[in-house]
Amino acid sequence: MPSIFVFLLVLGLFKYALAEDGFCSAPSVLSLESESKPLYWKAANPTLNIQDFPGFTRSVYKRDYALISPESHVYSPLPDWINTSGAYLISPEMGSHFVMYLAKLKENSKSGLPLHDVERFIFVVQGSVMLTIAPGVSHILKVDSYAYLPPNSEHSIECDASATIVIFERRYAPLPNHVPEPLVNSTDKQPLLETPGEVFELRKLLPTSLAYDFNIHIMDFQPGEFLNVKEVHYNQHGLLLLEGQGIYRLADSWYPVQAGDVIWMAPFVPQWYAALGKTPTRYLLYKDVNRSPL
Ligand code: UGY
Ligand code: MN
């Protein structure tokens, strides 16, 4: 009898050891939940957390627009960068003439350069980075700071802790006698601009002069405010929702959106936004400007 007792005890300890360190060390969600919550608790308290829905995403990819919500962002090491992973969210495969990607810089990370003749815009979403634009000329960019790097300009972005930046790149469309300059600044230093017929607040992060073939708009909406114009235009957009939530109309569909979402809008896709909820919306928007569509 005592030997059976010892055997059962050893078996129990063996199972415990396996569960702690071995191949079954990941606790099953089911067993954890059933331990902590009464039977059918979830049915009576349905989750609103999208991560809990197997296979569900708000992302959509259509002919002339895409909504790419965070649960479907896929990161992989960025070519030529050190200790940095990136998620390309908009690229020419969709029909855009630019790329938009999120880069997550880790400890001791460093950027690679854009391709030849490609200009780059960076905007810090989390953490801080050091941008060097010439020997001995460096800037610390914190959240809400940004920089524009003209095509073929040597520069490096370095981080010693962690940072997330959103990056736009496009092959520069030159115009005779116009040369874009490098630029470092922050959103809060940009003046509010007139928006005739609209209620949202608008800041432009780049100069409006002809040297620049795109601009980045920062648009602020109070809850309940919406675009007056149901826009249809030749320009392309890459959008990152920085704060808040609302409904985005894209072509014939209306999508609930929130901070972290990215939207690709092809030329001429009908677009409209209404800010909802209790907090204001801020979004950042790429828009090609100053060049003839021909
Ligand atoms: O300037 C714009 O085209 C901007 N108002 N579009 C947008 O917010 N979807
Ligand atoms: Mn627009």
Side-chain angles (χ1 to χ4, degrees):
M1 205 57 170
S3 59
I4 288 174
F5 178 73
V6 170
F7 174 73
L8 288 175
L9 188 73
V10 169
L11 190 71
L13 284 175
F14 180 65
K15 272 193 196 162
Y16 176 77
L18 265 187
E20 282 296 292
D21 311 315
F23 43 82
C24 27
S25 62
S28 133
V29 177
L30 266 181
S31 62
L32 266 187
E33 272 189 0
S34 56
E35 273 160 29
S36 55
K37 300 277 191 290
L39 193 62
Y40 306 139
W41 184 89
K42 258 223 146 120
N45 301 273
T47 183
L48 291 176
N49 185 355
I50 247 162
Q51 311 292 355
D52 293 350
F53 288 96
F56 178 78
T57 174
R58 289 184 297 111
S59 293
V60 286
Y61 177 50
K62 303 277 180 177
R63 189 183 65 87
D64 49 6
Y65 67 87
L67 165 64
I68 306 127
S69 46
E71 72 279 1
S72 43
H73 295 181
V74 177
Y75 286 84
S76 46
L78 275 179
D80 302 331
W81 292 54
I82 298 166
N83 283 344
T84 307
S85 51
Y88 281 95
L89 301 169
I90 299 178
S91 81
E93 284 85 354
M94 292 167 153
S96 67
H97 62 216
F98 65 94
V99 290
M100 172 177 176
Y101 55 107
L102 285 169
K104 285 192 191 290
L105 292 97
K106 289 161 227 153
E107 225 175 300
N108 302 322
S109 49
K110 190 173 177 189
S111 61
L113 285 170
L115 297 176
H116 193 63
D117 291 343
V118 168
E119 55 192 334
R120 172 180 276 172
F121 176 91
I122 67 172
F123 181 97
V124 180
V125 181
Q126 174 260 315
S128 71
V129 297
M130 183 176 72
L131 171 71
T132 303
I133 51 175
V137 186
S138 294
H139 302 268
I140 301 296
L141 271 60
K142 300 200 171 92
V143 172
D144 221 31
S145 303
Y146 63 89
Y148 169 80
L149 293 316
N152 310 319
S153 60
E154 286 286 328
H155 66 271
S156 70
I157 305 157
E158 288 167 90
C159 179
D160 54 15
S162 99
T164 305
I165 56 182
V166 57
I167 304 177
F168 294 88
E169 288 171 2
R170 126 172 224 197
R171 199 164 294 280
Y172 180 62
L175 270 190
N177 308 320
H178 292 282
V179 180
E181 297 291 328
L183 232 140
V184 178
N185 218 321
S186 61
T187 304
D188 57 330
K189 303 230 172 63
Q190 305 315 308
L192 283 177
L193 303 173
E194 293 289 313
T195 53
E198 293 286 4
V199 291
F200 62 84
E201 292 187 334
L202 173 66
R203 291 174 176 84
K204 294 187 181 178
L205 301 189
L206 296 183
T208 51
S209 53
L210 287 182
Y212 299 85
D213 59 1
F214 71 89
N215 215 318
I216 301 291
H217 296 187
I218 297 287
M219 296 174 54
D220 289 307
F221 300 76
Q222 294 306 313
E225 291 183 345
F226 51 87
L227 282 174
N228 185 34
V229 180
K230 283 65 76 177
E231 297 180 15
V232 176
H233 51 63
Y234 78 93
N235 321 72
Q236 313 189 358
H237 286 318
L239 180 156
L240 172 63
L241 215 86
L242 293 166
E243 297 277 1
Q245 61 286 304
I247 299 285
Y248 227 102
R249 177 186 175 162
L250 297 160
D252 292 335
S253 300
W254 280 258
Y255 298 97
V257 292
Q258 63 176 5
D261 288 350
V262 165
I263 300 175
W264 149 243
M265 287 172 250
F268 298 104
V269 70
Q271 56 198 258
W272 177 86
Y273 180 66
L276 296 172
K278 292 193 165 68
T279 54
T281 287
R282 168 169 284 187
Y283 63 68
L284 172 154
L285 187 78
Y286 168 98
K287 182 173 188 175
D288 52 310
V289 292
N290 288 333
R291 298 294 182 271
S292 161
L294 277 180

